[in-house]
Amino acid sequence: MLVSLKDIRKTYMMDKVRIEALKGVSIDIDAGDFICLMGPSGSGKSTLLHIIGCIENPTSGDVIIRDENVKKMTDASLSKFRNRHVGFIFQSFNLVSVLNVLENVEYPLMIRGGKVDRDRVLEAIESVGLQDYLKHRPDELSGGQRQRVAIARALVTDPDIIIADEPTANLDSKTGNMIIDLLVDLNEKSGTTFLFSTHNEAISKYAKKTMHILDGGIVS
Amino acid sequence: MIFIIGLRNITKNIRKNALTLLMISFGMMALFIYDGSNNSMFGLLKNMVINKQYGSFQIHKSGYAANGKKYPYDYLISDYSRIAADLSSRPSTDYLAPRLYFSGLISSDERSSVISGFGGNAEAESRMEFGEVSSGTFIRHGEKGQAILGELALKKLSAKTGDSLTLLISMKGGGVSAADLEITGTKKSSGENDAQNKMFILADIASVQSLMGLNDTVDTIIVQIKKGETMARAEKDIADVCAKYGLEYKKWTELAVFYESVKLQFNTNRNILTAIILLISIFAIINTLYMNFMERMRETGTIRALGTTKLQVTAILASESALLSAAGGLLGILIALAVAVIVNLSGGIYHPVSVFNDKPYYTLIQSEIANVALYWLLFVIVAVVSSIFISFRALRLSIAESLRWN
């Protein structure tokens, strides 16, 4: 078992109103899974992805990744853990605007300190077909190209799981399909575990498993 | 790469950062110029204190500092010629000004007045403050029976320069002696209430020694050292002579207490100015960095998600502010250097007559490299501390909250 969530609850305070985003979610994810998380806006998809990605703490419950309970980790060790075991692909691409393609992709390796494996970086960029855009800044790329840079950045650390929060939402359908094809291909070739959220039923068909979330609970 | 990100973040918000950079530059420039002008003024003051007033060193008989005022006759230097010859042979000595202080009574045809002053060597004293007379001429070298008086003292006696006045002074061991002195000139007063000027007299030392019955005797030897000579090297010579003849000495810094207090006051003003400028700079830096940081909140959330620690995020921001303040400081130094060259070539900064100076004067901009480096470093440190403060505040948001930031 790669990821195991046990009775995860998440409560927010919005002004004085208490909002229960997750109401006791328990799921297991195996290594090599390609899982699609579906649900309407406000159902708790992003919160669940953030908690699995260790960028948000649950109000209660346990998150076990690679047999480690992340709740017990300090901020610094959690940063290191994310860097080594979790990759992220965001809806709005979220590239560092002042870095070019090469620098954006090598960034997760650079922050580890020490020498960056440039071959590994170039390999990741080649795997998304952007080897001719190494010196381009994000504002010089199309939406699809930016998302491919984000995928290369997620792949470069060879993580156990890649979390993609609506990765095709800001792309046209053709580019969105290309991105999903790329993720499927990477999952099949490298065995990397993918967990992505989407509204798009057509895209969910690519997934090996689909989970539906509604009002903070997994319904199927 | 942290520095590269910091640098590129600066160039990304070029207009906003340029304003902050200019603000820091102007602050640096103000400190450079103020400090440079202060240094020049203290240089002038130091020269005046040494060359015109106290000399580099003053030598007395041992024990004079403790008891000389109370028992002046017990602390006289009776073999001046021998000591003067020894001192003059030292390579650091430029010239000597021997003095014999006295007080007594001076009389014109109509009036008498208490008088207090000293006998001095005309040639040496003419090079110091009393050499500048407000009327008449200074006493002539090699001639006896001459004196200059305070202009208020002369006025009190209803006398004028060129008149012959009678000086009456008590001798060592009792008895009174008198002599007629030609008043060759007057010393300028600082105003009608200048009590010292009302009693001031400087007579030729030979006449004073003769009146007091103290041949070849002085109580003070002022030593002026040669230009380019260091105080430390000259002090060795002076200490050597003093040890040899049972004398003691004081450096000009010990005598001119006011110099140090004035310097302290000006330095306090400079420190206050520095603090104000730094405070303004802090606000400018905090404001700019905070806005920049808030604009990049989602980006910060992203790099945090990728594994960047809080410390690394702080380092990015700190490098940004360090680069900004270092560049601003350097720009300020360059502008100030250009201003200094122009001002110094055109003669310096004009200071009009005031209660502190009876003549206008000019100061140059002569900043000390160590001070300028310190200011520059202070700007960088303050900027880095400000950025740490900002990052601590901004990093209180969770990564997920940062990613949701609009």
Side-chain angles (χ1 to χ4, degrees), chain A residues 53-126:
Chain A
C54 310
I55 57 175
E56 192 158 22
N57 290 323
T59 308
S60 66
D62 291 310
V63 181
I64 316 288
I65 302 176
R66 289 169 56 95
D67 298 327
E68 284 192 73
N69 192 334
V70 298
K71 208 162 89 174
K72 291 172 183 166
M73 291 184 191
T74 61
D75 190 76
S77 54
L78 204 53
S79 294
K80 198 174 168 184
F81 185 85
R82 274 196 307 273
N83 179 267
R84 295 194 182 270
H85 303 295
V86 186
F88 289 94
I89 299 167
F90 299 98
Q91 180 182 337
S92 306
F93 326 125
N94 291 26
L95 301 177
V96 180
S97 57
V98 294
L99 300 180
N100 62 32
V101 168
L102 183 71
E103 290 164 339
N104 260 294
V105 177
E106 74 179 4
Y107 183 85
L109 298 178
M110 185 278 299
I111 54 175
R112 289 179 181 180
K115 201 170 180 290
V116 172
D117 182 353
R118 185 54 69 85
D119 291 341
R120 174 85 196 96
V121 175
L122 292 172
E123 196 184 309
I125 294 170
E126 264 177 45

Side-chain angles (χ1 to χ4, degrees), chain A residues 136-197:
Chain A
H136 285 62
R137 293 265 179 102
D139 56 3
E140 296 164 340
L141 300 172
S142 68
Q145 286 170 327
R146 287 184 209 185
Q147 199 59 302
R148 277 146 70 191
V149 177
I151 294 166
R153 182 179 66 184
L155 286 171
V156 78
T157 56
D158 197 15
D160 294 306
I161 183 165
I162 291 178
I163 298 196
D165 191 1
E166 303 197 32
T168 58
N170 281 354
L171 302 171
D172 59 68
S173 59
K174 191 181 163 198
T175 315
N177 285 334
M178 277 168 64
I179 292 294
I180 292 296
D181 281 339
L182 183 62
L183 298 185
V184 171
D185 188 45
L186 290 167
N187 172 254
E188 281 168 1
K189 280 182 184 165
S190 63
T192 308
T193 311
F194 280 89
L195 172 62
F196 69 97
S197 65

